Structures are given as structure tokens and as C-alpha cells.
Amino acid sequence: MRVAVLISGSGSNLEALLEAEREGFFESEIALVVSSKPDAYGLVRAETYGKKTFVTGDGDLLDALEAEGIDFLVLAGYLKILEADLLERYEGRILNIHPSLLPKYGGKGMYGMRVHEAVFENNEKISGATVHYVNEDIDGGRILLQTAVDISRLQSPEEIQQTVLVLEHQLLKIAVRLCEEERL
């Protein structure tokens, strides 16, 4: 599969995927890295690995994806809502990583540190990460993978974030490999 990874920030999940690709963990090629922000550090990571990049706002995203022959999309910290035409074109071929055990702590406005703060404030004993298919409902698509971790001894949202991020890095690369196997 030719994959586009969509980011908005530092790109640590992107880097985990780039390393997995380099190590041969999956057969897919990360052919394009898309960012919603022109100053996202993830673009630097992409260029370090020699990947082609595209910043939304520099043209039509759907045109850029089609020009690169993209088969599959992975949202890795992408903070923009995808438009209906893109959702339709790539239906069943878009994954998102979310830093909670969906359906808990999902939906509009629930991303990044906001999720971990809510988890911490609610005294949750476990948290985790979820990879799900993307549809028109924010964080509402079918769950592909989910893994939990005990956070009962963690002392801050930042500690929760660091712990869950390790899970995200593992889960996302496994999800790509599962999608490859599904498509064989």
C-alpha cells in the first residue's frame, strides 16, 4: 500500500511508523506526509527520512493524495476534520490513533493533552490507545485495535501522556500491518 501519514505537530507517531517501515515491520510505503501546519516539526522528521511532504493550504489535499497514488491514510495527530469528499474517496481506508480507550474521552475537542487531563481529573485507573477507522463521526469509526495500561500510580496528565504515547507507537505500526493483511 502507498500510505499518506497526516500530522499536525511533532510527529512522534510518524517517526515510529517511519522506523517501522525502515525495519521492514510492514511492506507499505509511506509515500507522503501531510501536515495541517507549515511549522509542524513532523515535517522535519519526514524530510530527514527523505519523504515527500504536503502542507494543507498549499492546494487541494485530495488532488495531492491522488497525484501520489495514495491507497491508505493514517491520521497520526492530525487535528483537522476531514472533508466529506475525502472521507468518501478513502472510505474504509483511513485510520486514526486516539490517546484513550474509545469511546471514552473521544469526540470533538478531545485530543492530545486534553484527553490526558480529563482522564487524570476523573481519577481513571486505566487508560490506553485506540486505532479506529475514520468516518463522519469524530472518533466514532469501527475500532481496529485497542490496548490498555494501568495508570493508577501516575501523578500527572503528562505522565499519562508519556505512558500512552509508548502504546500509540506500537499500536499504530501493528495496525498498518493488519490493514495490509486484510487487503491481501
Side-chain angles (χ1 to χ4, degrees):
M1 296 186 306
R2 288 180 58 80
V3 175
V5 180
L6 285 67
I7 63 165
S8 291
S10 72
S12 71
N13 275 313
L14 166 65
E15 186 162 40
L17 288 173
L18 292 167
E19 277 301 308
E21 177 187 34
R22 179 183 280 172
E23 294 166 1
F25 187 84
F26 49 72
E27 295 179 14
S28 293
E29 173 192 2
I30 298 171
L32 184 65
V33 175
V34 175
S35 177
S36 64
K37 298 179 179 180
D39 60 347
Y41 186 71
L43 292 170
V44 174
R45 292 182 198 256
E47 290 167 4
T48 299
Y49 283 80
K51 298 299 179 179
K52 189 167 186 173
T53 62
F54 177 82
V55 177
T56 58
D58 289 348
D60 183 66
L61 176 55
L62 192 53
D63 287 346
L65 296 171
E66 290 178 352
E68 293 301 320
I70 300 300
D71 303 305
F72 207 88
L73 308 180
V74 176
L75 280 55
Y78 190 68
L79 300 180
K80 288 184 77 172
I81 303 300
L82 297 178
E83 296 194 10
D85 59 342
L86 194 139
L87 288 172
E88 183 179 316
R89 169 73 171 84
Y90 285 94
E91 183 178 358
R93 296 182 291 141
I94 308 172
L95 291 180
N96 182 48
I97 184 81
H98 187 78
S100 78
L101 296 172
L102 291 175
K104 284 182 132 183
Y105 305 104
K108 188 171 183 169
M110 292 304 291
Y111 59 87
M113 190 55 77
R114 292 177 179 186
V115 171
H116 305 302
E117 288 168 348
V119 166
F120 186 75
E121 289 168 14
N122 287 311
N123 296 311
E124 296 284 358
K125 302 297 180 220
I126 63 167
S127 190
T130 305
V131 176
H132 66 92
Y133 287 95
V134 174
N135 63 18
E136 64 280 349
D137 300 320
I138 299 171
D139 296 327
R142 180 174 63 88
I143 292 173
L144 176 64
L145 290 171
Q146 195 169 57
T147 191
V149 64
D150 180 352
I151 58 165
S152 61
R153 292 193 170 102
L154 301 183
Q155 301 296 312
S156 69
E158 291 79 13
E159 285 184 21
I160 296 170
Q161 179 187 41
Q162 291 168 2
T163 301
V164 170
L165 192 57
V166 172
L167 298 178
E168 290 180 47
H169 292 169
Q170 294 301 312
L171 210 57
L172 203 49
K173 70 182 186 179
I174 293 168
V176 170
R177 187 158 68 184
L178 283 174
C179 289
E180 287 176 341
E181 292 169 1
E182 241 178 46
R183 295 192 174 340
L184 293 178

